[in-house]
Amino acid sequence: MPRSGRHRAMLARWAVTLLSLTWSTYHSLAIPQVTECGLSCSQGFTCRNHMNRNVFNSFCRHPPPSMSRSVLESLMLSTVMKCAPQDGCSLLLRVQASLTLHESLRGLEACSMSLDTKETHCHNMRVSRASRRQQVGQQLQVHFNCFEVSMAQSLYITLRTVPHFCGVQLDQQYHVEDCRDEDVGRNVPDCFAEKLSYWVDRSRKVVLVQVPEAPGSPDYYLRLCLKWVTCEDAGELVRVTANSVSRMVSLPYSQEMPCLCLESWPATPDAVRTQACPFENDTEALWDAIHYHPGSQALSWEPACPVSGHVSLCWHPGPGAHCLELENSERPAHGRVQYLLVDTQPQLCLKFSTSLGFWVRCPFKQPRFPAWKMTIQWAPSRAHLRVAFFSPSPTSFQVRLCHRRKMWPLACHRTLQATPLPPASVSRGDLTTDPPVAFVDIPRDEACGPDTCIQGWRTDMHFSAPQQLCNLQCGTHDVPWPPLARATAEAQTPWTSDLTELHGRELRVKK
């Protein structure tokens, strides 16, 4: 044969070898099927299977001096499938072990423990007495195919000798394939539930589910649930039978919540449940679960779904301003949050911060909540300004003098305690006509100025939002009162438009 012909023939043989290796590798990646659940041993050995569902004996004996601790040579684990035409396929764990037979060994024990439930199943393999006498020193290969497993199950496998000799043991963890594996997803009935199709009709507030038909597929359970550690019922449990005329199911819901999920599972023992959560980005409803308790003056919030983030109290210095957090008010948002002795001012709000952004809710903007008012007028001495507080009930107040800076917070340097006044004998319940309950006189030179702010707040509360007046144009002693009165009125005008913060931005909603 010419040299070029020999070269082409050699390349052809290499190509065939490479294709064979590639084909073998491809098939080795697929999950093999078995027809029987059984035990097999190397040729020339006679073995029998003993099944034991009890936890294996933890006591061991010292091995004889002639036995090496490496008598157990290898432990290999893999998944196999056993299939029936009408019922689909079930998963089994194949345990392959090899050992050097010693005269003191009677067999092997392989145990599988679920890391989730701690349930343990064991198989014992015994070598016949005749094989033990004839095959001492020979390598024994053993295949167990009878460990029933579930998809996505985490297992701890232990291989020991029979009898159990101390220190002669092999251990290995194993994770069973789940529905993402092509063979498992195509053949195991539990995976058919993951192929459900669903649509959300928000106008009717229903989730429409289409259950697929498959040969030998079992009945299915469907429900809506709130997903916490477990999925809690949030609707009726529906069973779709294999012979149902219609396999379309309508599941109603009351509110879109991020943890409201569709759960489905086949009606088989120990079936794996799958969830799909169509509203996982609908977080708006979470922030409305705010409650105020007038008796204890406590403000609380409790999430209807798991939340990762934090909650804090904040206050608006004025209409359209950012909500400034109160000191020592930040709480983790993992569960119920409660603030005791909270001042019911309209500018006091709750701020919710998560990885998706932040949201603000101001529960006291409604007129039904009692509020106090701060005004500024000339004091009788005319060399001072009088900060007066009006409240429907006796209350303690403080005043703080602050100066504006380029960045918040203000630079506050002086705090004054308000002097209480005797309560009025007759109160009309109107802050505009009732006399003040407390006051503070501040020197005019300290209170007036373009960068000066006066803050007043309650001191008998744990959490109080200050009222703030800035840039008082006091003028001279001869300037009549109305200009100062107008500044006070403008600063105290309550805002009634809703402020909603979404994804880190404030949106002003028109009145």
Side-chain angles (χ1 to χ4, degrees), residues 63-84:
S66 60
M67 178 183 291
S68 170
R69 291 184 181 270
S70 60
V71 64
L72 293 180
E73 298 176 356
S74 65
L75 171 63
M76 298 178 59
L77 308 174
S78 60
T79 305
V80 297
M81 290 191 297
K82 183 180 178 182
C83 303

Side-chain angles (χ1 to χ4, degrees), residues 9 21 25 88 90 124 130 206 222 247 269 299 306 318 355 383 390 420 493 507:
L21 289 174
T25 303
S90 59
N124 286 288
V206 294
L222 301 171
R247 299 179 71 83
L299 185 67
S355 60
F390 300 83
T493 300
L507 303 178

Side-chain angles (χ1 to χ4, degrees), residues 6 38 105 107 109 122 134 139 164 181 199 212 231 235 251 255 293 338 348 375 389 419 438 446 456 460:
R6 289 197 303 270
L105 296 180
E109 179 183 65
C122 296
Q134 297 172 6
Q139 187 185 64
H164 178 203
D181 181 89
W199 303 266
C231 224
L251 301 175
Q255 192 174 31
H293 310 275
Q338 180 172 268
L348 183 65
T375 63
F389 295 94
T419 302
E446 295 184 29
D460 57 343

Side-chain angles (χ1 to χ4, degrees), residues 14-33:
W14 287 350
V16 171
T17 303
L18 180 61
L19 287 173
S20 300
L21 289 174
T22 303
W23 182 253
S24 300
T25 303
Y26 171 79
H27 274 277
S28 67
L29 295 177
I31 296 179
Q33 295 188 16

Side-chain angles (χ1 to χ4, degrees), residues 100-382:
T100 302
L101 194 60
H102 188 273
E103 58 185 5
S104 300
L105 296 180
R106 297 197 298 270
L108 286 177
E109 179 183 65
C111 292
S112 169
M113 182 182 71
S114 169
L115 295 180
D116 297 325
T117 64
K118 308 305 179 186
E119 184 179 4
T120 302
H121 298 275
C122 296
H123 287 280
N124 286 288
M125 181 279 298
R126 301 298 176 92
V127 183
S128 67
R129 186 174 301 176
S131 294
R132 293 203 304 269
R133 287 197 303 263
Q134 297 172 6
Q135 305 288 347
V136 170
Q138 300 298 312
Q139 187 185 64
L140 171 62
Q141 299 276 348
V142 182
H143 291 187
F144 297 94
N145 283 342
C146 285
F147 287 99
E148 296 180 0
V149 295
S150 303
M151 65 174 186
Q153 191 175 19
S154 294
L155 304 168
Y156 189 77
I157 310 301
T158 303
L159 183 69
R160 292 176 171 175
T161 59
V162 178
H164 178 203
F165 291 112
C166 301
V168 184
Q169 177 175 314
L170 295 177
D171 307 286
Q172 189 173 328
Q173 288 192 26
Y174 187 76
H175 188 75
V176 183
E177 292 85 348
D178 56 24
C179 295
R180 291 172 294 183
D181 181 89
E182 182 178 356
D183 291 322
V184 174
R186 185 174 57 245
N187 297 292
V188 177
D190 284 359
C191 293
F192 299 159
E194 291 196 353
K195 300 177 183 178
L196 297 176
S197 300
Y198 68 88
W199 303 266
V200 176
D201 188 338
R202 292 179 181 262
S203 62
R204 296 168 50 204
K205 287 196 170 184
V206 294
V207 178
L208 303 172
V209 186
Q210 177 67 50
V211 181
E213 295 186 59
S217 61
D219 297 353
Y220 283 96
Y221 287 112
L222 301 171
R223 68 166 181 166
L224 292 178
C225 58
L226 295 176
K227 188 175 181 180
W228 287 80
V229 177
T230 59
C231 224
E232 303 173 0
D233 280 325
E236 181 183 358
L237 180 64
V238 177
R239 180 166 182 161
V240 181
T241 60
N243 56 1
S244 296
V245 176
S246 173
R247 299 179 71 83
M248 176 72 75
V249 178
S250 177
L251 301 175
Y253 64 89
S254 59
Q255 192 174 31
E256 290 93 353
M257 304 289 287
C259 62
L260 182 64
C261 302
L262 167 65
E263 186 175 58
S264 58
W265 68 97
T268 56
D270 300 323
V272 176
R273 301 189 180 196
T274 58
Q275 288 115 15
C277 304
F279 309 109
E280 58 187 355
N281 293 324
D282 292 298
T283 60
E284 282 295 321
L286 294 179
W287 322 125
D288 296 328
I290 301 172
H291 302 280
Y292 177 71
H293 310 275
S296 60
Q297 296 177 295
L299 185 67
S300 64
W301 170 79
E302 187 168 5
C305 292
V307 176
S308 178
H310 63 268
V311 186
S312 58
L313 292 172
C314 64
W315 66 285
H316 285 287
H322 288 284
C323 203
L324 307 177
E325 294 188 15
L326 294 183
E327 292 183 359
N328 304 317
S329 69
E330 184 174 305
R331 306 284 189 272
H334 301 152
R336 187 171 187 264
V337 175
Q338 180 172 268
Y339 297 97
L340 299 177
L341 293 177
V342 176
D343 186 11
T344 57
Q345 283 296 96
Q347 67 267 30
L348 183 65
C349 308
L350 277 170
K351 183 176 181 179
F352 305 92
S353 303
T354 73
S355 60
L356 298 177
F358 61 89
W359 296 259
V360 171
R361 295 292 187 269
C362 303
F364 303 123
K365 288 189 299 183
Q366 304 169 15
R368 63 187 178 90
F369 289 103
W372 54 271
K373 181 181 180 181
M374 182 180 78
T375 63
I376 298 179
Q377 52 190 278
W378 289 114
S381 68
R382 302 290 290 177

